[in-house]
């Protein structure tokens, strides 16, 4: 391990696996394919949110616009992430494995963090343009979402660079990031509970689903962050299974927290719109 550290330093553990043992055809291709699936779903989501923006009343359309912004950001940066993977690993005919190339392009999950730095505040703001807060102040919740969301991503971004070279600093930065994460969960629960008050029954049902989806999808991120240690204990596991597991976990989390979350918000806004007399389906039939 010390020899690898001297060569790679603070590179993420995917590079260590690539330099140590490399990846089988299956592991490499599964990673490449799931990364491709990630940005492809974002592109599909982009078309969905553009095409459904008029199905909600004008007051709710800011949420759809934010979904469009999230999809564009996620599509572009996840595309770069996939290209980063295929550019960093090269096929070695002698070992019949994909290994870390001898170029300057190491694999880095930092592209995901750049994406989240843009998307997380947008995702948190979205729901504020769909629900009506009955007790909390809109501006205060918005600012807290922005502060904790940004701080969570930045501290996690710093922590990832220590996942091999210093498990202690990796854990410290991860713990700090988790504190902001817990604050976001508390705020989101408050927003959803207040949003249910006076909302139509179907909208309340969608808001309940959003809460459970939020818990599921956002809990996947710390799991992916810790993936090397879930396989290796106190020392990071230089395991291709951990690498593939991280790619799959991050992709499932991104699709759930961005695309499915945005669709549920759209459905909620449609029900709120109907309750206020804006029924797009009836308007279309009348035309």
């Amino acid at each position: 391990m010390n020899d690898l550290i001297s060569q790679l330093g603070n590179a993420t553990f995917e590079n260590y696996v690539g330099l140590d043992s490399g990846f089988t055809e299956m592991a490499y291709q599964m990673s490449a394919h799931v990364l491709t699936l990630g940005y492809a779903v974002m592109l599909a989501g982009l078309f969905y949110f553009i095409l459904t923006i008029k199905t909600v009343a004008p007051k709710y359309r800011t949420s759809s616009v934010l979904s469009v912004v999230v999809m564009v950001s996620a599509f572009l940066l996840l595309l770069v992430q996939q290209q980063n993977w295929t550019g960093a690993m090269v096929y070695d005919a002698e070992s019949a494995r994909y290994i870390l190339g001898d170029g300057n392009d190491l694999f880095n999950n930092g592209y995901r963090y750049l994406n989240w730095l843009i998307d997380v505040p947008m995702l948190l703001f979205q729901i504020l343009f769909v629900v009506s807060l009955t007790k909390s102040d809109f501006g205060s919740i918005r600012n807290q979402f922005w502060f904790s969301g940004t701080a969570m991503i930045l501290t996690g971004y710093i922590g990832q660079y220590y996942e091999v070279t210093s498990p202690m600093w990796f854990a410290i930065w991860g713990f700090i990031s988790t504190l902001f994460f817990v604050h976001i969960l508390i705020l989101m629960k408050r927003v959803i509970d207040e949003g249910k008050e006076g909302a139509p029954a179907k909208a309340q049902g969608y808001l309940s689903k959003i809460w459970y989806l939020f818990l599921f999808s956002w809990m996947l991120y710390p799991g992916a962050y810790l993936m090397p240690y879930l396989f290796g204990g106190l020392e990071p596991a230089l395991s291709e299974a951990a690498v593939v597991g991280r790619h799959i976990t991050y992709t499932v989390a991104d699709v759930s927290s961005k695309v499915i979350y945005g669709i549920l918000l759209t459905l909620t806004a449609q029900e709120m719109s109907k309750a206020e007399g804006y029924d797009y389906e009836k308007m279309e039939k009348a035309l």
Side-chain angles (χ1 to χ4, degrees):
M1 175 67 81
N2 289 334
D3 290 340
L4 295 176
I5 289 176
S6 66
Q7 295 180 65
L8 294 176
N10 286 339
T12 53
F13 91 107
E14 291 90 346
N15 298 286
Y16 280 82
V17 178
L19 187 59
D20 180 46
S21 59
F23 298 91
T24 61
E25 177 72 15
M26 179 182 290
Y28 171 81
Q29 294 296 352
M30 285 180 68
S31 294
H33 293 161
V34 77
L35 289 170
T36 301
L37 177 65
Y39 73 75
V41 172
M42 299 304 159
L43 183 59
L46 172 63
F47 286 106
Y48 171 85
F49 294 118
I50 290 174
L51 294 173
T52 59
I53 194 167
K54 289 187 178 180
T55 65
V56 301
K59 65 183 288 188
Y60 300 116
R61 290 178 187 170
T62 301
S63 178
S64 297
V65 171
L66 290 176
S67 278
V68 170
V69 174
V70 167
M71 292 301 103
V72 172
S73 165
F75 168 73
L76 292 175
L77 284 167
L78 293 180
L79 172 61
V80 174
Q81 179 84 89
Q82 193 272 350
Q83 293 175 333
N84 180 216
W85 171 257
T86 56
M89 306 300 165
V90 298
Y91 184 71
D92 177 54
E94 184 176 344
S95 63
R97 299 175 77 89
Y98 287 85
I99 62 174
L100 187 66
D102 56 4
N104 296 321
D105 191 18
L106 295 179
F107 180 76
N108 194 308
N109 283 302
Y111 294 108
R112 287 194 184 275
Y113 286 88
L114 293 176
N115 173 230
W116 297 331
L117 193 60
I118 298 170
D119 289 355
V120 165
M122 300 290 181
L123 292 168
L124 296 173
F125 293 164
Q126 274 185 264
I127 196 168
L128 298 178
F129 293 98
V130 174
V131 304
S132 296
L133 300 178
T134 56
K135 302 180 183 66
S136 303
D137 177 70
F138 178 95
S140 174
I141 295 293
R142 179 199 59 206
N143 293 340
Q144 290 182 72
F145 270 154
W146 177 85
F147 176 79
S148 288
T150 302
M152 177 184 69
I153 300 306
L154 289 176
T155 51
Y157 176 79
I158 296 171
Q160 64 150 347
Y161 287 104
Y162 295 101
E163 65 183 7
V164 176
T165 56
S166 178
M168 181 187 72
W169 281 110
F170 175 70
I172 288 173
W173 284 108
F175 175 74
I176 295 171
S177 180
T178 301
L179 295 178
F180 295 111
F181 171 71
V182 171
H183 182 229
I184 290 171
L185 291 180
I186 294 171
L187 288 177
M188 181 60 73
K189 185 66 166 67
R190 184 195 307 176
V191 167
I192 289 176
D193 286 344
E194 290 185 26
K196 287 181 179 179
E197 297 178 15
K202 288 188 71 174
Q204 290 184 31
Y206 286 131
L207 287 171
S208 294
K209 291 177 182 177
I210 286 172
W211 170 241
Y212 292 121
L213 175 72
F214 194 85
L215 281 178
F216 165 75
S217 59
W218 281 55
M219 287 294 183
L220 291 175
Y221 289 108
Y225 181 84
L226 294 170
M227 193 65 71
Y229 293 88
L230 297 181
F231 280 75
L234 296 179
E235 292 292 333
L238 300 186
S239 160
E240 66 175 19
V243 173
V244 175
R246 173 179 274 183
H247 289 318
I248 292 174
T249 303
Y250 272 146
T251 300
V252 171
D254 278 344
V255 171
S256 300
S257 65
K258 295 179 174 68
V259 182
I260 300 177
Y261 169 76
I263 291 172
L264 286 175
L265 277 177
T266 298
L267 294 173
T268 303
Q270 287 173 349
E271 293 303 320
M272 304 283 277
S273 299
K274 289 177 183 178
E276 296 171 8
Y278 183 93
D279 191 329
Y280 182 76
E281 293 179 0
K282 290 183 178 179
M283 292 169 60
E284 282 287 283
K285 290 179 182 178
L287 294 176

